[in-house]
Amino acid sequence: MTSAARTDEVARAEARRRVDALAKPLGALGRLEDLAVWLAGVQGTAEPRPPQDVAVVVFAGDHGVTGDRTVSAYPRQVTAAMVREFLRGGAAVNVLARTHGARIRVVDIAVDDDLADTPPDVRRHKVRRGSGAIHREDALTEAEATAALAAGRAVADEEIDVGTDLLVPGDMGIGNTTVAATVVGAVLGLDADQVVGRGTGVDDDTWRGKRDVVAAALERARPHRGDPAALLRTVGSADLAAGTGFLVRAAERGTPVLLDGVVSGACALLAERLAPGAVAWWYAGHRSTEPAHRLALEALGLPPLLDLDLRLGEASGALAALPLLRAAPLLLAGMATLESVTLPVTESV
Amino acid sequence: MTSAARTDEVARAEARRRVDALAKPLGALGRLEDLAVWLAGVQGTAEPRPPQDVAVVVFAGDHGVTGDRTVSAYPRQVTAAMVREFLRGGAAVNVLARTHGARIRVVDIAVDDDLADTPPDVRRHKVRRGSGAIHREDALTEAEATAALAAGRAVADEEIDVGTDLLVPGDMGIGNTTVAATVVGAVLGLDADQVVGRGTGVDDDTWRGKRDVVAAALERARPHRGDPAALLRTVGSADLAAGTGFLVRAAERGTPVLLDGVVSGACALLAERLAPGAVAWWYAGHRSTEPAHRLALEALGLPPLLDLDLRLGEASGALAALPLLRAAPLLLAGMATLESVTLPVTESV
């Protein structure tokens, strides 16, 4: 158990007072007001700024379930192909990062390809080639789980040390919604039917196969429900472990995070259990179509900014929401107060 | 009855094919895909562009209901004060327009103040000082209703003639959610209980008073349900009539519109009845907390981009959604195709 930093409640309260004094009815800017107040708390100032140095980290990994069973509309080779595409700049996350001004870093944690043609920095944190098939074997050894968690923590440290003021976790891995659904089901004590979604867009037969895989994995997870590290080892994956370590470390360091999809959500559930209170450092960028994502966000008490039927991962949903996160503090800084607007009128009436 | 222009179905179909070929699972970018396809249809090209010259037009007016009854948390003098604030640049819509790069034009259609201290262009289209108290009298004479509709059309023409590629209607007017709720109820044949919301944030007593006003106005509207022009005259207002004319003219000219809140929604319901098919030119920027807004969007078949408990009007919700409208075509233009991503992999496997 580690400790999340505390957000600044004084700054939050002062920001709320400022929001309430703006030239608008109380609460009329809805969630944009909450967003400005949240930023005040995580930035430790009643005058929050739009996050400028935004670092997207895409943790990539393959999953043994895709070797045994059909759980995705795509073969696992797509994971490595997409890693290469992230480096070429032609994926959705690249376009959104260019559009909204964010850096992207791709971290190969467990892609089932040596990716020898990619820069060494991409592979520096690699733990293994593909995690285990969680419906019949552990995803990771204890040493691998520890290494993957540490890799995520190290990446968070590296990004925070260069001055990043907002972290955005992304994911790439054929089969990863199967693992994320399992983790969410295991943590929340739910059945496979409740957590399994369509992922990349599987048909009914594949959905049933995916559900059976998750049901078997949930059976294997049962003894470990209260132990996040054990869940990552038995029914998780190296990429989810890295994502979890990343979120824990961000909260320890007091750096805000904009969460993405169901993989983010599964990691967040585990990270909050590893470091209670960490959730205060996170905002949900969007809600995907995956049922496990909705369930994870509800359990964490995190309402999403966007709800646009996105289900791509990569950090694409979070990045699509980034302009809202930047607009909210500008409203706080740039709007007149209600008093300044109405005073002249009162005098002239 | 006038005619909306036709959107380009060939461009839409080609854009859909291009979206489906991108490096992502089919449909994984959800509503962002629909947005790109919509833009293709309204721009008449399979390679849609982010709207650059975005014109926000805030139609301002007062409402007789605020003189007789308490339907708002604010006195009607706030309408004129906010018009002056729009010109000073300190309202929410100003901040969002600066942040996202949009022009703002304020049009006084029926503010109950001569606004002699504002530029003549603001007052050029003024129809009267305050519209009638719709629970007991007509909002407008027939000549005034015609003039207000024509004013909205003229403003749309003026903006389109200078090259605007996206119009955003905004509104300012204490009491305008009361009128908008009445219009929505009248068009859709609903009761006051179903359409009346909290507006600027009224308490329970004021809500009941507002409901009674709307119920009385709906009674007055009953004979005119099928006649949009008569509804605007009897239970509408000059600012809603201008907003309606604005939407009709945009659709006739084939210029896309990003809709804002409940006032936008009420105008859109009327405009679609005046020019059937006009709805194809509109996208819903957001859904506010006003029940009449949800009902109007459902009746129009327009799913909103944002659902963030906003209820400010001014065009603030639409502008908050503008970055999504700009990101969608960039994804279409900037992403690699799935074929280009996976081909090298297929070769190497």
Side-chain angles (χ1 to χ4, degrees), chain A residues 26 28-29 31 90 308 310-311 336, chain B residues 26 28 31 90 308 310-311 336:
Chain A
L26 263 186
L29 282 170
R31 298 281 310 287
L308 295 175
L310 307 177
R311 52 181 169 82
Chain B
L26 264 185
R31 299 281 310 287
L308 296 175
L310 306 177
R311 52 181 168 82

Side-chain angles (χ1 to χ4, degrees), chain A residues 23-32 74 77-78 81-82 84-85 88-92 95-96 98-100 200 304-312 314 316 320 323-324 327 330-331 334-336 338 340-342 345 349, chain B residues 23-32 74 77-78 81-82 84-85 88-92 95-96 98-100 200 304-312 314 316 320 323-324 327 330-331 334-336 338 340-342 345 349:
Chain A
K24 55 161 190 63
L26 263 186
L29 282 170
R31 298 281 310 287
L32 294 179
Y74 295 89
Q77 288 79 4
V78 168
M82 286 305 302
R84 294 187 178 97
E85 193 57 48
R88 273 194 298 264
V95 176
L96 291 168
R98 283 196 294 273
T99 301
H100 297 321
T200 47
L305 286 170
L306 300 180
D307 190 1
L308 295 175
D309 298 339
L310 307 177
R311 52 181 169 82
L312 181 56
E314 298 183 6
S316 56
L324 294 167
L330 293 175
L331 284 163
M335 282 177 68
L338 193 59
S340 76
V341 170
T342 51
V345 177
V349 164
Chain B
K24 55 161 192 61
L26 264 185
L29 282 170
R31 299 281 310 287
L32 294 179
Y74 296 89
Q77 288 80 4
V78 168
M82 286 305 301
R84 294 187 178 96
E85 192 58 48
R88 273 194 298 263
V95 175
L96 291 167
R98 283 196 294 274
T99 301
H100 298 320
T200 47
L305 286 170
L306 301 180
D307 190 1
L308 296 175
D309 297 339
L310 306 177
R311 52 181 168 82
L312 180 55
E314 298 183 5
S316 56
L324 294 167
L330 294 175
L331 284 162
M335 281 177 68
L338 193 58
S340 76
V341 169
T342 51
V345 177
V349 166

